[in-house]
Amino acid sequence: MFHPAINLLLTFGLIIVLLRKKVQTGLVMLCAGLVLGLLFKVDFLSQIFTLKRAIITPVFLQLGIALNIIMFLEHVMRTKGYLGKTMAALKCLIPSSKINLMILPAFLGLLPSPGGAAFSAPLVAEAGRGLSLSPEDHSQINYWFRHVWEFFIPMYPGVILASQLLEIPVGKISLMLAPFFFISVPLGYYLYIRQIETPPGLKETAATSDAKRKGLMKLLAGVWPVVVIVFTVLIFKTDVSLTVTVVLILLLIINRYQLPELKKLWQESFSLSIMLLIAGILFFKEMLATSGVIQWLPVYLKSLGVPDFLVVVCLTFFVAFAIGLSQGYVAATFPLLIGIIGTGPQLNPGALLLAYISGFVGIMLSPVHLCLFITVDYFKADLIKVWRSVVLPGVVFILTALVLAVIWK
């Protein structure tokens, strides 16, 4: 109908508008795939075959099982007291309120709960009791440290989706992105924790050796499921779905789940919307191939003289900024960037880092990021001040990713 670039912009505009209207992400991606097909004059029969090709694939089942099993695991750990044990143990083992301000939201960030900032905010408030912290200080700490794992832990949907779309193991992509975890923690400490003053009257006494021993046992009892999953996936390159399933079964046995509890677990954890999300993402990816966009876009951008790194940064950042979801920007942009990032053995690690980190920064600065609003609302903080506090670390992240992209091709 229009120039291919206009068609593509219209499709992305539709994605952004529908997501901001709170339409379910899977439906959004299905609609985007259909609209893309119409704009690029893909006949109806070819669209049906494209949808069939997206669903009748091992990737559809692998992603569906992995993401739903992770939701089951998160529910069990939250309802059976594993998180509570860990929180109590950390407070016993580490008397420093400043360190606990970092650790408590970071630990809860290990589990990819949508809007999970709601769980960590009360703990940050408790850990900061007695310190001279403003609502904005509390908000910055909760928001930043909750997300230090998002580009690294192999249970996050964005990491899993990226590994499937780029045809590389989850463990490999996690290890490639791991350096940014080791940047985010000291950066967060320097920006948000270092300047906090401990009032003279606040005593932070160390626990006795007996209390520390008990605290360590509580910590191990609370954190072992996540540690086992992360360790086995990263070190032994095991399949995420299989690993999480084994750990989940062990938890069900240890906690002696009965049939009524299993039924309730299924009802509260299984999500058809996740299956719809995966179907929509894979359909959109396949439609990009069927319509010829994947082949056309790199050629078109090269004809304009646009550098690859600028394409990667701008596309992933602005889509993530508009969407506010890691799985959303990965699904919408990574298929288009395959010509630059590559897949499987032809993967360009530097381009992958640049794409994922630019998208991560876009999410952290997104005005529709749920965790940002939950955090600001809980602490009654100034939204603009909290938002501004994320700009500097975001710039540091993208500049670091650019440097690594040049070095690591």
Side-chain angles (χ1 to χ4, degrees):
M1 292 184 181
F2 304 106
H3 187 278
I6 301 297
N7 292 339
L8 205 54
L9 287 173
L10 288 172
T11 304
F12 276 107
L14 175 69
I15 292 173
I16 291 167
V17 169
L18 291 179
L19 284 173
R20 296 192 69 166
K21 293 286 185 181
K22 309 301 181 186
V23 178
Q24 205 277 331
T25 309
L27 283 175
V28 172
M29 300 311 294
L30 282 172
C31 290
L34 291 170
V35 169
L36 188 74
L38 291 172
L39 291 174
F40 282 89
K41 299 181 180 178
V42 178
D43 63 84
F44 179 72
L45 192 60
S46 294
Q47 292 202 33
I48 294 297
F49 279 122
T50 301
L51 180 60
K52 181 182 177 182
R53 191 165 62 247
I55 295 175
I56 305 176
T57 171
V59 174
F60 178 75
L61 286 177
Q62 288 168 4
L63 281 173
I65 292 170
L67 296 182
N68 271 295
I69 289 294
I70 287 169
M71 290 186 68
F72 282 28
L73 177 74
E74 189 274 334
H75 185 277
V76 172
M77 290 191 66
R78 180 161 38 85
T79 57
K80 292 299 180 180
Y82 285 83
L83 299 184
K85 290 177 185 175
T86 304
M87 298 302 106
L90 286 173
K91 288 181 180 181
C92 174
L93 293 170
I94 305 172
S96 171
S97 298
K98 291 171 68 171
I99 300 301
N100 277 319
L101 279 170
M102 300 166 57
I103 292 177
L104 295 176
F107 176 74
L108 287 180
L110 285 168
L111 298 176
S113 304
F119 297 115
S120 56
L123 297 172
V124 170
E126 179 63 29
R129 193 179 299 278
L131 299 176
S132 301
L133 295 176
S134 68
E136 289 73 33
D137 292 331
H138 278 105
S139 298
Q140 292 161 6
I141 292 165
N142 187 56
Y143 188 53
W144 181 259
F145 287 102
R146 166 155 181 82
H147 294 92
V148 294
W149 308 99
E150 190 151 338
F151 34 76
F152 167 54
I153 291 297
M155 293 186 293
Y156 267 89
V159 176
I160 296 173
L161 283 173
S163 77
Q164 293 289 350
L165 293 172
L166 301 178
E167 300 173 18
I168 57 174
V170 175
K172 182 176 180 180
I173 195 172
S174 292
L175 288 173
M176 289 169 63
L177 292 164
F180 285 89
F181 166 76
F182 296 101
I183 296 171
S184 63
V185 174
L187 186 61
Y189 177 84
Y190 180 82
L191 292 174
Y192 308 128
I193 302 292
R194 181 180 60 92
Q195 74 277 10
I196 297 174
E197 295 181 1
T198 304
L202 183 65
K203 293 183 179 180
E204 296 179 333
T205 55
T208 64
S209 58
D210 184 56
K212 284 185 177 180
R213 186 173 64 255
K214 290 179 180 177
L216 182 60
M217 295 303 294
K218 278 186 180 180
L219 179 64
L220 293 174
V223 80
W224 74 263
V226 175
V227 172
V228 168
I229 292 168
V230 173
F231 183 79
T232 53
V233 170
L234 294 184
I235 304 301
F236 297 106
K237 309 293 189 295
T238 57
D239 178 75
V240 174
S241 302
L242 178 61
T243 307
V244 177
T245 300
V246 171
V247 171
L248 178 62
I249 290 172
L250 285 173
L251 282 173
L252 296 179
I253 294 171
I254 291 170
N255 290 281
R256 299 179 181 178
Y257 267 73
Q258 301 299 314
L259 191 59
E261 284 187 294
L262 289 173
K263 183 179 178 182
K264 185 179 180 182
L265 173 65
W266 173 268
Q267 291 172 340
E268 295 181 357
S269 301
F270 179 75
S271 175
L272 282 174
S273 64
I274 283 184
M275 304 306 292
L276 180 61
L277 169 66
I278 296 165
I281 288 169
L282 294 179
F283 175 60
F284 183 72
K285 178 194 175 188
E286 292 294 334
M287 188 57 74
L288 286 169
T290 301
S291 63
V293 173
I294 290 178
Q295 295 80 11
W296 165 82
L297 185 62
V299 176
Y300 176 67
L301 292 173
K302 283 184 179 179
S303 72
L304 297 177
V306 180
D308 286 349
F309 82 89
L310 193 59
V311 174
V312 171
V313 172
C314 291
L315 187 60
T316 53
F317 176 85
F318 285 113
V319 171
F321 181 83
I323 292 175
L325 293 168
S326 61
Q327 59 264 41
Y329 90 81
V330 169
T333 63
F334 274 42
L336 279 173
L337 294 171
I338 282 175
I340 298 174
I341 300 175
T343 60
Q346 284 75 46
L347 184 79
N348 181 329
L352 167 59
L353 285 178
L354 193 57
Y356 205 96
I357 296 305
S358 298
F360 170 76
V361 174
I363 287 173
M364 292 298 289
L365 292 172
S366 173
V368 294
H369 189 163
L370 184 60
C371 285
L372 177 60
F373 282 96
I374 288 174
T375 298
V376 168
D377 180 68
Y378 182 87
F379 291 110
K380 303 294 183 268
D382 185 312
L383 175 61
I384 300 301
K385 287 183 179 178
V386 176
W387 183 85
R388 284 176 181 166
S389 73
V390 185
V391 172
L392 177 58
V395 171
V396 171
F397 264 48
I398 290 180
L399 290 177
T400 304
L402 280 168
V403 171
L404 290 176
V406 171
I407 297 171
W408 194 7
K409 292 183 179 180

